[in-house]
Amino acid sequence: MIQLKNIEKIYNLGGEPVHALQSVSLEIAAGEYVAIMGSSGSGKSTLMHIIGCLDQPDNGTYKLDGQEVQSLSEDELADVRNKKIGFVFQQFNLLPRMDALENVTLPLIYAGLTPAKRTERAANMLRLVGLGERMGHRPSQLSGGQQQRVSIARALVNKPAVLLADEPTGALDSQTSEEIMALLAELHKEGTTIILVTHEPDIATFAHRLVKLKDGLITSDQIIRKP
Amino acid sequence: MIQLKNIEKIYNLGGEPVHALQSVSLEIAAGEYVAIMGSSGSGKSTLMHIIGCLDQPDNGTYKLDGQEVQSLSEDELADVRNKKIGFVFQQFNLLPRMDALENVTLPLIYAGLTPAKRTERAANMLRLVGLGERMGHRPSQLSGGQQQRVSIARALVNKPAVLLADEPTGALDSQTSEEIMALLAELHKEGTTIILVTHEPDIATFAHRLVKLKDGLITSDQIIRKP
Ligand SMILES: Nc1ncnc2c1ncn2[C@@H]1O[C@H](COP(=O)(O)OP(=O)(O)OP(=O)(O)O)[C@@H](O)[C@H]1O
Ligand SMILES: Nc1ncnc2c1ncn2[C@@H]1O[C@H](COP(=O)(O)OP(=O)(O)OP(=O)(O)O)[C@@H](O)[C@H]1O
Ligand SMILES: [Mg+2]
Ligand SMILES: [Mg+2]
């Protein structure tokens, strides 16, 4: 389903080029639950953005469900991002002038639902992450962990086949983290492919497979639990 | 040094008022190391902003080093914020069009140093948090954990008497977290008062005293280790 071969990402800022990803090859089958760990700056978010079709590699190939991502048109890419993939950003990326409900309703615009149905589904998603009382708050009127949960609700509202979650519990206390991880476990049971970046071993342990990244290279890729 | 009495903070968004802080009383002496824990939305960041003189309570009093904060002029407040307090924000609050070095140099503008001395001190601080190779990068060209470390460097560059750190290791891997906590331990040994919000028990354990917050109220306040 996800096939990365020799993926490279290089930034040129005028000084030394930064090799964010040196040569990354990775295959993830539908329905897998993969955790990615690595130190700060090792390339995890860069890798997630490429997998999520939000960024292009400088070298290497990426096939998503057998299709070469590089050969997709802008429209086809937008379609993939909107319908196939849900992305929880490390820094949430919420729209500041919309409230929580509007932020979560946005991805549903192309889902072919009536406005009433869109609002209902978004509201249900927010209640599921414990934000039933915060739907009318804009991001600046929400705590860090509440903003993170809006970002999670938004990523899930379109029922994506692949969930890319970049440190989805980073701003959450242990109780709330457990609730979110239970939600992800449920989605995984229903067939969602999950790729999760985390710094916390207690969170990584929910996955079946652990990939470690260091200086833009995969240093290990192991099954950590039976499916 | 820090005396909060019956502090209240209420937000009115049109619907039900939100009691972010209901009645918080807290005394912290110079040189203490206090951790604040509590679930997402319990009022931690709100409390930190009031202690840091970045926000005003709706009720109650706050004395900092014997002075009523409410009676300070705008200039006196700016002085306190700049010289006495270092703040590591939960979402970093870096200036997007300045690079890491410029962001860390900014608080030194009123420190009475020459431009060359300011740059030197800021650069040393960035090296101390492992970012010697990223000084010319702007926030959008830095990873999440790198942005967090710039925020930490900026908070410390003026050698503040009080460090307020709102989840300073939230975006860091365990190795980098340990390095940052060791740096804080060193500062504490030198006399810095530290107030640290964290979700992680492993981080809270560095403090001497643990305050727990729930729904805008302090539910416990315990010494957790001998100084
Ligand atoms: N500007 C605002 N308007 C309305 N409500 C607000 C505003 N800012 C914060 N709140 C609410 O006040 C409560 C406390 O927020 P605060 O940011 O202090 O929580 P927190 O303990 O830091 O949470 P977290 O661990 O998620 O960062 C939250 O329920 C939040 O929704
Ligand atoms: N636009 C950019 N220009 C230059 N360098 C960049 C840019 N974006 C990222 N980098 C660099 O690429 C490297 C990888 O960044 P990335 O965000 O993928 O790290 P990460 O593993 O997600 O780290 P963290 O755990 O801190 O979030 C970092 O060293 C970063 O400084
Ligand atoms: Mg990252
Ligand atoms: Mg907070």
Side-chain angles (χ1 to χ4, degrees):
Chain A
M1 134 159 276
I2 285 169
Q3 288 179 303
L4 301 162
K5 278 205 177 82
N6 302 322
I7 294 290
E8 259 182 85
K9 185 75 188 177
I10 304 163
Y11 292 109
N12 284 304
L13 291 188
E16 283 279 321
V18 177
H19 290 260
L21 294 175
Q22 301 217 39
S23 177
V24 170
S25 300
L26 188 59
E27 266 193 47
I28 296 175
E32 285 204 61
Y33 195 155
V34 184
I36 301 177
M37 294 186 88
S39 52
S40 175
S42 56
K44 307 178 297 298
S45 297
T46 303
L47 179 59
M48 292 287 268
H49 275 72
I50 287 169
I51 295 172
C53 303
L54 296 163
D55 199 7
Q56 299 273 4
D58 293 304
N59 278 309
T61 54
Y62 173 24
K63 272 198 195 151
L64 176 63
D65 287 341
Q67 281 189 306
E68 271 278 358
V69 171
Q70 261 162 322
S71 63
L72 297 178
S73 70
E74 257 314 303
D75 279 355
E76 290 172 303
L77 272 174
D79 218 47
V80 164
R81 271 181 238 134
N82 189 268
K83 301 213 175 97
K84 206 177 257 193
I85 296 172
F87 205 119
V88 183
F89 293 90
Q90 186 172 7
Q91 291 179 47
F92 322 149
N93 296 25
L94 300 176
L95 297 176
R97 281 179 292 178
M98 291 186 169
D99 65 25
L101 187 63
E102 290 162 334
N103 264 284
V104 178
T105 311
L106 210 58
L108 294 172
I109 298 297
Y110 304 111
L113 302 169
T114 61
K117 271 289 173 203
R118 291 204 292 263
T119 300
E120 182 190 354
R121 204 197 280 192
N124 285 338
M125 206 65 234
L126 282 165
R127 275 180 216 115
L128 203 58
V129 295
L131 294 178
E133 311 277 299
R134 291 285 180 274
M135 296 200 210
H137 286 229
R138 272 175 279 119
S140 62
Q141 298 165 332
L142 293 170
S143 78
Q146 289 167 345
Q147 291 178 41
Q148 184 155 54
R149 283 179 278 161
V150 176
S151 179
I152 292 167
R154 181 181 61 180
L156 298 178
V157 76
N158 251 334
K159 306 188 198 290
V162 184
L163 175 68
L164 303 178
D166 198 344
E167 296 189 46
T169 61
L172 303 175
D173 55 280
S174 26
Q175 172 68 35
T176 315
S177 290
E178 278 182 38
E179 291 164 17
I180 292 300
M181 293 314 290
L183 172 60
L184 296 194
E186 193 56 34
L187 290 167
H188 179 245
K189 225 162 111 215
E190 294 167 10
T192 309
T193 307
I194 301 183
I195 307 173
L196 171 93
V197 167
T198 183
H199 287 136
E200 300 186 48
D202 289 355
I203 297 294
T205 193
F206 282 84
H208 295 157
R209 177 177 164 197
L210 177 60
V211 171
K212 289 187 182 170
L213 213 55
K214 183 177 162 68
D215 299 327
L217 286 166
I218 291 179
T219 55
S220 85
D221 185 347
Q222 308 274 348
I223 301 292
I224 55 172
R225 79 158 72 191
K226 290 271 166 289
Chain B
M1 129 159 284
I2 286 170
Q3 286 179 304
L4 301 161
K5 278 207 178 82
N6 303 321
I7 294 290
E8 257 181 88
K9 184 74 188 177
I10 304 163
Y11 293 108
N12 284 306
L13 291 188
E16 283 280 317
V18 176
H19 290 262
L21 295 175
Q22 299 214 38
S23 180
V24 169
S25 298
L26 188 59
E27 267 194 47
I28 297 174
E32 284 203 62
Y33 194 157
V34 183
I36 300 178
M37 292 186 89
S39 51
S40 176
S42 57
K44 306 178 297 296
S45 298
T46 304
L47 178 58
M48 292 287 268
H49 276 73
I50 288 169
I51 295 173
C53 302
L54 295 162
D55 198 8
Q56 298 273 4
D58 294 303
N59 278 308
T61 54
Y62 173 23
K63 272 197 195 154
L64 177 61
D65 288 341
Q67 280 189 306
E68 272 279 356
V69 171
Q70 261 162 322
S71 64
L72 296 178
S73 70
E74 257 315 306
D75 279 354
E76 289 171 304
L77 274 173
D79 217 47
V80 164
R81 269 179 239 136
N82 189 269
K83 300 213 175 101
K84 206 177 256 195
I85 296 172
F87 206 118
V88 184
F89 293 91
Q90 187 170 6
Q91 292 177 44
F92 321 150
N93 297 24
L94 299 177
L95 296 175
R97 282 180 290 180
M98 291 187 169
D99 64 26
L101 185 64
E102 291 162 332
N103 264 285
V104 178
T105 311
L106 210 58
L108 294 173
I109 299 297
Y110 305 110
L113 300 168
T114 62
K117 271 289 174 201
R118 291 203 291 265
T119 301
E120 181 190 356
R121 205 200 275 195
N124 285 337
M125 206 64 236
L126 281 164
R127 274 179 218 117
L128 202 59
V129 296
L131 295 178
E133 313 276 298
R134 290 287 181 273
M135 295 200 211
H137 286 229
R138 272 176 279 118
S140 61
Q141 299 164 333
L142 292 170
S143 77
Q146 290 168 345
Q147 292 178 41
Q148 184 156 53
R149 284 179 276 160
V150 176
S151 179
I152 291 166
R154 181 181 62 178
L156 297 179
V157 77
N158 250 334
K159 306 188 200 286
V162 183
L163 175 69
L164 302 178
D166 200 341
E167 297 189 44
T169 61
L172 303 175
D173 56 279
S174 27
Q175 174 67 35
T176 314
S177 290
E178 278 183 37
E179 292 165 15
I180 293 301
M181 295 313 291
L183 171 59
L184 297 193
E186 193 56 34
L187 291 167
H188 179 245
K189 225 165 112 212
E190 294 167 9
T192 309
T193 306
I194 300 182
I195 305 174
L196 172 93
V197 168
T198 183
H199 286 135
E200 300 185 48
D202 289 354
I203 299 294
T205 192
F206 283 84
H208 294 159
R209 177 177 165 195
L210 177 59
V211 171
K212 289 187 184 171
L213 213 55
K214 183 178 163 67
D215 299 327
L217 286 167
I218 291 179
T219 56
S220 87
D221 185 348
Q222 310 276 346
I223 301 293
I224 56 171
R225 79 158 72 192
K226 290 272 168 288

